Structure formats: C-alpha cells, structure tokens
Amino acid sequence: MSARLLRLASPQLPIGGYSYSQGLEMAVEQGVVCDAASAHRWLKDQLLLNLARFEAPLLLAHCRAAADEDWPMLETLAEQHRASRETRELRLESRQMGYSLQQLLQGLPELDEPAQAFYARLEEPGLALGWALAARAWGIAPEAALEAWLWSWLENQLAVLMKTLPLGQQAAQRLTSELLPVLDQALRQAQALDPDDWGSAPFGLALTSIAHEQQYSRLFRS
C-alpha cells in the first residue's frame, strides 16, 4: 500500500471523522449493540446490507468520475449522495467532513486547476466528493480509494466501540480479523453492482440516527 493511500485512509486526516459514530453510539445506548458478538452483527450488516449496496458503489462512481474529469457526472453523483442522507445528523456529518476536506485540499499543491475550479463553484461539497477529489489529487486509483474508505469506516466504528463498550484493544483486533473478509466481500460487491441496482433501505440505521439527535448524554456528533 502506497504512502499516499495510507495518508487518505489515516484517522489523522484532519476532517473530524473521529467525532462521528453513524448511529452506533445510540445502538449501544439502546442495548442493540452490547458485546463483541452484537457489534460483529451490527458492523457486518452495515457493510453488506448498506454500504456494499449503495454507499460504496456510489463512492466508487465519484472516484471514477473525478479521475476521468467528468465534472457533470461528478456533480450529479454529489447531488445524489446529498439527497440520500436519511437524517439531519447524517447530512450534517457529510457536509461538515466534506467542508473540512475541501479546506484541506484547497490549501495543498496537488489538487490541479480543473479540480480546484470545480470544487470552488459547489455550494455544499460532501464527504464522498471530497474523497474522490483527494484520490485524484494524490494519484490513487478509484478501486484503491474505495478500499481505503471502507477501511477507514471500519476502523472508526471499532474506535467508537472501544469508547462506548467495555471492549478492549485485543477484542477490537479480534473483531478486525473477523470483519476483514466481510470488508473484502463488500468491496467486491460494490465494484460488481450495476448502477440500476444501487440502493439499500437501512431503516434501523436511520431510526437510530434520529434517536441519537436527542440522546441525553453522548460523545459523538452522529
């Protein structure tokens, strides 16, 4: 794995990903996720029933459009991604992380002029768009950028669990070993899925995210 790919996938990328749990904090509060086994089930379902069916193929399409300089298609995909945020929290998460990534990239020399011009005229660039433009700027292939995104998602979710459950680092590493084959499966499915078949219905995630907006005591912003 190249240093540029590690840079993109790093939790140190200054876009605030550590601030978000994507509903997992509320799932812990409700007792849906209460131990390693239920955490495994939650994360596996997220990977295969949600991300692999919609989020991941949509992100891959963003990365391919950016690499090909297909700016009209990239703008259409960005609008589709924004419209797909089911809750206020999830939309704010994408918008705020997308804004942070925009500020980072526009201050770096690697982002070329066509991408700079495209970026500058958008009112609300989300995370998927920023991720695609970062991959373009750093010369990362679309498929590798998708794998980095899935890994960063999984790593962040495991970090959430270590903060909200009595789950230590060794248990988190065991979960990682169990879930890496699932991540690979989600990656393959996302790459093979026809755009006409994109779509998921993560009702549980949406309801959990809505409930999290009013959670009395919380560590995360979503």
Side-chain angles (χ1 to χ4, degrees), residues 3-130:
R4 290 173 295 181
L5 189 57
L6 288 170
R7 180 185 187 184
L8 182 62
S10 172
Q12 299 303 314
L13 193 69
I15 58 175
Y18 60 86
S19 301
Y20 301 95
S21 79
Q22 296 194 351
L24 182 53
E25 182 178 25
M26 191 65 206
V28 172
E29 173 77 13
Q30 293 173 337
V32 176
V33 175
C34 58
D35 53 19
S38 56
H40 180 279
R41 182 170 58 251
W42 175 274
L43 296 177
K44 181 179 179 180
D45 285 351
Q46 275 273 65
L47 281 165
L48 297 182
L49 303 180
N50 182 24
L51 302 186
R53 294 180 177 182
F54 182 72
E55 299 277 352
L58 181 58
L59 180 82
L60 180 60
H62 276 76
C63 294
R64 287 172 172 167
D68 294 339
E69 297 190 22
D70 190 345
W71 307 122
M73 174 58 73
L74 186 55
E75 186 167 6
T76 297
L77 291 166
E79 291 173 354
Q80 185 176 357
H81 184 267
R82 182 168 59 249
S84 70
R85 303 305 85 193
E86 295 97 340
T87 69
R88 178 178 176 271
E89 274 198 343
L90 295 177
R91 176 165 181 173
L92 286 175
E93 176 183 347
S94 178
R95 185 175 72 184
Q96 289 163 355
M97 292 178 67
Y99 174 79
S100 296
L101 192 47
Q102 180 186 36
Q103 296 303 302
L104 170 65
L105 289 175
Q106 288 184 326
L108 297 177
E110 298 99 320
L111 193 66
D112 58 21
E113 186 174 338
Q116 288 272 13
F118 174 76
Y119 224 164
R121 67 182 177 82
L122 295 181
E123 293 184 4
E124 190 180 312
L127 176 60
L129 176 65

